[in-house]
Amino acid sequence: MPDIFRGIAEQGMVRTKDSYEKLRAASGELADILSETYSTHARTAADYGIKVIEIAGANTNSAFDFLSKLMDTKSLSEIVQLSAAQTRKNVEATSAQNKELWQLAQKVATETAEPIKKGLTRVLQKAS
């Protein structure tokens, strides 16, 4: 009887050790995946932040240009015409800027999620 229990215990130990090794390898890979994901996210988020700063600069320059031109106007009709042109320019610029920011936000989300998706798939395949 004791030999049977010893055999069962040894099999259990072998399985436990094997499972532990798989888990240890998987946790190491998950740490690598998270590190890669963090790096990717930091880079793409920085790109997004830079774009926001560029847009703010462009909008500030546009406002100063408008004010400069406004100071040179000589009649109410010129002011109305200049204001209408500036409004049209602002709407077009805002639309283009929003589109750019939306595309960058999608890029951040996609590029951040991709390493996680690939890595988890790889880890789960190895674990099974």
Side-chain angles (χ1 to χ4, degrees), residues 66 69-70 73-85:
F66 172 68
K69 290 176 185 175
L70 193 60
T73 59
K74 295 183 173 64
S75 68
L76 181 61
S77 64
E78 282 183 80
I79 293 172
V80 170
Q81 193 175 28
L82 185 62
S83 294

Side-chain angles (χ1 to χ4, degrees), residues 60-115:
T60 301
N61 289 338
S62 177
F64 281 126
D65 288 346
F66 172 68
L67 289 174
S68 175
K69 290 176 185 175
L70 193 60
M71 299 299 269
D72 293 338
T73 59
K74 295 183 173 64
S75 68
L76 181 61
S77 64
E78 282 183 80
I79 293 172
V80 170
Q81 193 175 28
L82 185 62
S83 294
Q86 183 67 24
T87 299
R88 189 172 36 258
K89 181 180 170 185
N90 287 346
V91 168
E92 290 170 0
T94 300
S95 176
Q97 291 165 351
N98 286 339
K99 183 178 178 182
E100 254 185 295
L101 289 175
W102 178 250
Q103 289 170 341
L104 276 174
Q106 287 177 318
K107 180 181 175 184
V108 168
T110 301
E111 289 186 10
T112 300
E114 194 60 32

